[in-house]
Amino acid sequence: MAPAPTSPIKVGHIDDVQELRKSKPATIPQRFVREMNERPTLQPSSSSTNDIPIIDFSKLKNGNKDEILHLEMACKEWGFFQVINHEIDIDLLESIERLAKDFFMLPLEEKQKYPMAPGTVQGYGQAFVFSEDQKLDWCNMFALGVIPNYIRDPKLWPTKPAKFSDTIEVYSREVRKLCQSLMKHIAISLGLKGNVFEEMFGEEVQAVRMNYYPPCSRPDLVMGLSPHSDGSGLTVLQQAKGGSVGLQILKDNNWVSVQPIPNSLVINIGDTMEVLTNGKYKSVEHRAVTHKEKDRLTIVTFYAPSYEIELGPISELVNERNPCKYRRYNHGEYSKHYVTNRLQGKKTLDFAKIPDSYFA
């Protein structure tokens, strides 16, 4: 297990990147400037790739065996894929983008009515900040717990813009349906019964986070979002139209930019699925970079098991050739461990790993 973090730090007004952008500083504040070895290598748009697998959800639903095999390849070799024909209404996607952008464009005083308390991941602010000398991401966040009801904080659900909270409810329900269906097909791709994850997850946990990345005069010095893997089962990413290409994933030790497909959703495997599949499907390190002229807005849904359940590799996926790589643990304990540590690649997954020396 990682060492206990220092006390969480509340990020002040001076560190709100939208306010910084308005003030047009002559230089990037040192709080955001990364060490040389952490600075992004920015690729021109022409270098972005569409090699990331594209899954046609309509074919999955129709039981197309080739698409199931394609899904298996996507999960096994990439840990990321884009989903088309996902059945979520395009008008709903456009509405959530518009309302999210409207929220971030509110005056700072209005947004600060919903503060992200130190050591938490709900509300407006920056998460995963634990020391005064820790580098900050060039990003403003707004996050909400959606289900189950007990993880919600009603004080953090905004009254402005109008219909924001109602739209989050509808959007989250539709994304949840997509996750439930994808989990069924992922189970089938593993040779398991389609309902295995549904039965295992219990009362699922779902949260939504909106990330806003203003333009940055020196995108080569900052990080939009630090490299990390997600602690979820699945993560669903919606990238707003017209923004910069910001998502990069670590593939074969190279950072690859993801060119969004219009009206698609990007799905990635989280740490929880890596544990459950005993490493067959791995969570993937990813990050966000910024752009000199364009902003970027994303809406991210995290879908995970109940905090009450105990997790470990599924027995059918453990054998002599693939011995058990992860211990059993309470999912709530892992979630707490995840949100109380800095984003540092896949370091948080050390919580669950059985040391290599065990097999020596």
Side-chain angles (χ1 to χ4, degrees):
M1 186 181 297
T6 55
S7 298
I9 300 296
K10 187 171 181 63
V11 178
H13 300 192
I14 192 72
D15 299 318
D16 184 289
V17 289
Q18 286 175 261
E19 297 305 304
L20 268 174
R21 175 72 182 174
K22 287 179 189 174
S23 68
K24 298 181 180 178
T27 59
I28 302 296
Q30 280 301 308
R31 192 80 198 268
F32 294 90
V33 176
R34 296 287 173 145
E35 303 299 333
M36 289 295 295
N37 63 336
E38 294 181 333
R39 295 179 186 178
T41 303
L42 301 175
Q43 301 169 317
S45 299
S46 59
S47 298
S48 301
T49 181
N50 274 331
D51 292 340
I52 290 183
I54 300 167
I55 299 296
D56 188 331
F57 184 68
S58 63
K59 290 182 180 178
L60 283 184
K61 287 197 72 175
N62 290 332
N64 185 299
K65 292 182 179 178
D66 287 339
E67 204 65 11
I68 288 285
L69 289 172
H70 192 41
L71 178 64
E72 179 190 16
M73 181 279 293
C75 293
K76 190 174 182 179
E77 297 182 17
W78 284 85
F80 266 80
F81 53 92
Q82 298 200 60
V83 172
I84 59 173
N85 299 324
H86 44 66
E87 298 184 352
I88 299 178
D89 192 275
I90 302 304
D91 289 342
L92 179 58
L93 299 186
E94 291 176 348
S95 292
I96 198 73
E97 285 179 16
R98 183 176 63 255
L99 289 166
K101 187 70 173 283
D102 288 347
F103 174 82
F104 282 112
M105 294 304 117
L106 289 171
L108 181 62
E109 295 72 26
E110 182 67 30
K111 291 179 287 190
Q112 287 181 333
K113 292 178 181 177
Y114 313 101
M116 185 180 290
T120 70
V121 289
Q122 291 194 53
Y124 177 77
Q126 277 214 26
F128 310 106
V129 180
F130 297 99
S131 72
E132 295 287 0
D133 59 357
Q134 182 180 331
K135 296 299 184 181
L136 296 179
D137 291 332
W138 194 265
C139 174
N140 285 341
M141 298 177 174
F142 181 64
L144 295 168
V146 179
I147 61 167
N149 277 335
Y150 75 82
I151 74 168
R152 291 185 177 219
D153 185 343
K155 299 189 301 295
L156 296 178
W157 286 68
T159 55
K160 296 179 183 178
K163 297 186 178 178
F164 181 93
S165 293
D166 290 343
T167 305
I168 288 283
E169 297 278 18
V170 176
Y171 177 80
S172 295
R173 185 180 67 237
E174 293 303 304
V175 172
R176 183 159 64 249
K177 283 160 55 178
L178 174 64
C179 288
Q180 289 165 342
S181 189
L182 284 172
M183 292 297 278
K184 180 179 118 180
H185 291 99
I186 287 172
I188 293 169
S189 78
L190 289 159
L192 303 170
K193 292 181 180 177
N195 63 352
V196 66
F197 294 119
E198 180 184 353
E199 292 181 351
M200 189 179 296
F201 274 35
E203 186 177 24
E204 63 246 290
V205 173
Q206 185 179 357
V208 61
R209 189 179 77 214
M210 300 165 189
N211 302 318
Y212 181 69
Y213 307 91
C216 180
S217 60
R218 289 295 304 273
D220 56 317
L221 299 181
V222 307
M223 192 63 69
L225 190 59
S226 298
H228 65 286
S229 60
D230 295 334
S232 57
L234 286 183
T235 300
V236 179
L237 172 71
Q238 178 180 339
Q239 304 184 82
K241 293 184 182 70
S244 64
V245 176
L247 174 62
Q248 294 185 337
I249 68 174
L250 192 61
K251 171 69 170 167
D252 301 327
N253 291 317
N254 291 310
W255 288 105
V256 178
S257 294
V258 180
Q259 183 71 47
I261 299 170
N263 302 322
S264 70
L265 295 168
V266 178
I267 313 293
N268 67 273
I269 300 294
D271 293 347
T272 297
M273 285 297 288
E274 176 167 336
V275 170
L276 293 175
T277 64
N278 199 32
K280 182 171 183 179
Y281 293 170
K282 289 183 169 61
S283 60
V284 175
E285 200 171 327
H286 53 287
R287 67 186 188 184
V289 296
T290 61
H291 192 274
K292 194 168 185 175
E293 295 160 357
K294 288 185 177 181
D295 63 0
R296 180 170 180 258
L297 172 72
T298 61
I299 299 106
V300 191
T301 298
F302 303 100
Y303 180 81
S306 164
Y307 290 143
E308 308 298 323
I309 69 166
E310 190 175 84
L311 287 180
I314 296 170
S315 58
E316 292 93 327
L317 301 177
V318 178
N319 52 50
E320 286 186 7
R321 288 182 300 171
N322 193 32
C324 189
K325 298 180 176 71
Y326 309 91
R327 66 180 180 88
R328 294 191 68 79
Y329 58 87
N330 172 269
H331 180 58
E333 288 180 9
Y334 177 66
S335 295
K336 184 178 180 181
H337 170 76
Y338 187 94
V339 302
T340 54
N341 279 275
R342 291 172 52 194
L343 297 179
Q344 297 181 80
K346 292 188 65 171
K347 194 173 186 340
T348 47
L349 194 53
D350 290 346
F351 175 92
K353 283 182 178 175
I354 295 174
D356 289 341
S357 58
Y358 181 86
F359 302 104

